[in-house]
Amino acid sequence: MAELTNNGEIDLLLGRMKSAAAPMRGILQELHARYAPVTEGKVADYIPELAKADPNWFGISIVTADGQVFEAGDCLQSFTIQSVSKPFIYGLALEDLGLEPVLARVGVEPTGEAFNSIVLDEVSNRPFNPMVNAGAIATSDLIAGKDFPERVTRMLDMFGRYCGRKVHIDNSVFMSERLTGHRNRAIAHLMLNFGIVSPRLDEALELYFQQCSVLVTAHDLAMMAATLANGGVHPVTGERAIPQQYVKYLLSIMHSCGMYDYAGEWAFRVGIPAKSGVGGGILAVVPGQLGIGIFSPPLDAKGNSVRGVRVCKELSEKFGLHCFESGFTGRSIRDQFTVQRSGRQG
Ligand code: GLN
């Protein structure tokens, strides 16, 4: 851009970019319009703060691995990240301890059970994976820091690197999570009994409740996903959020366990590593290509955003995004971006 001194040239370039971006933006706007009237699902209400969410909020954001942004709807509406935080905390634990010590504490097997089920591996006593609450709490226990404030700061800084901005905690959600989190406390104590978490489990629980209460937007989720799609480097700031060698482990665990007890069918039908949260967020990663962030609070019986699941299914089918897709004959999503980057009309 710097070498373009002629205003006419700049106008021409911007004009081309605008018209060429239209196909992808148009596709997202059309998807948004078609799924906005869906009224199925129920907003999470286990704490009063989440029950206040407007069921009509609906945002779809796509960020490519090279930082182009395509959005439709409420992409700047804040909500709490909830379980979408889990793979990222897992990444921080991997960075802090390395793979084998983390695997000694938390497995990588899907459970087929609800995210808050009170179940540990009978032989190893480990939680099955870091996406269920047991595994997530055990993972939070592994986050390094000289004291609790430093551990919280490291957690927030980590989310900040993925989002490309400073993130904050919703204090009332955090207080409610902490006040009502008896089941999570029970799970933590069971793990203490088996020596899976350290005696500072109160800190692990506090950290877990705080990570669930981080405020994000659909735009942020797409940026976080695009950072993973880009090998761990934020596509706009250029900052590394996680060492490259750990990205594949986050994506693997999202692929097999990211969508609660719908994970198997999701991997089968959609085939894109993803994670959802009870706040209504879904984050999905197409490695090397793009990140998807969707926000729509009404959830299905398994806890996944109803509109989010449908939009991802359609994007996967339309653009052949399933990770085991071969011989796709439709128009690839890469073509849509190539159109924009080359400045040619689609
Ligand atoms: N914070 C909630 C819990 O720990 C829900 C997390 C989620 O999104 N499933 O139970």
Side-chain angles (χ1 to χ4, degrees), residues 27-41 54-60 72-74 294-298 305-308 310-311 314:
I27 287 165
L28 295 191
Q29 277 162 357
E30 189 276 324
L31 273 176
H32 186 276
R34 201 144 39 79
Y35 288 107
V38 170
T39 54
E40 287 155 57
D54 181 343
N56 296 314
W57 282 334
F58 183 24
I60 309 173
D74 306 311
I294 302 183
F295 170 51
S296 168
S305 166
V306 173
R307 293 190 191 105
R310 295 198 190 163
V311 168
E314 194 160 331

Side-chain angles (χ1 to χ4, degrees), residues 46-47 50 81-84 86 115-116 131 133 137 177 184 208-209 212-213 260 275-279 303:
Y46 68 91
I47 52 173
L50 290 184
I81 190 169
Q82 296 291 348
S83 282
V84 182
K86 291 171 179 172
F115 64 89
N116 58 0
M131 303 294 107
N133 287 9
I137 294 164
E177 292 280 356
N184 286 326
Y208 174 74
F209 295 138
C212 286
S213 308
Y260 305 127
K275 185 72 200 86
S276 65
V278 292

Side-chain angles (χ1 to χ4, degrees), residues 45 57 82 153 179 201 207 249 262 272 315 324 329 335:
D45 59 1
W57 282 334
Q82 296 291 348
T153 303
L179 207 65
L201 89 168
L207 204 58
Y249 300 129
Y262 185 66
I272 309 175
L315 283 171
F324 301 125
T329 52
D335 293 345

Side-chain angles (χ1 to χ4, degrees), residues 151-162:
R151 298 172 77 199
V152 173
T153 303
R154 291 192 66 242
M155 180 267 286
L156 289 174
D157 287 350
M158 179 271 294
F159 282 118
R161 286 194 297 278
Y162 280 102

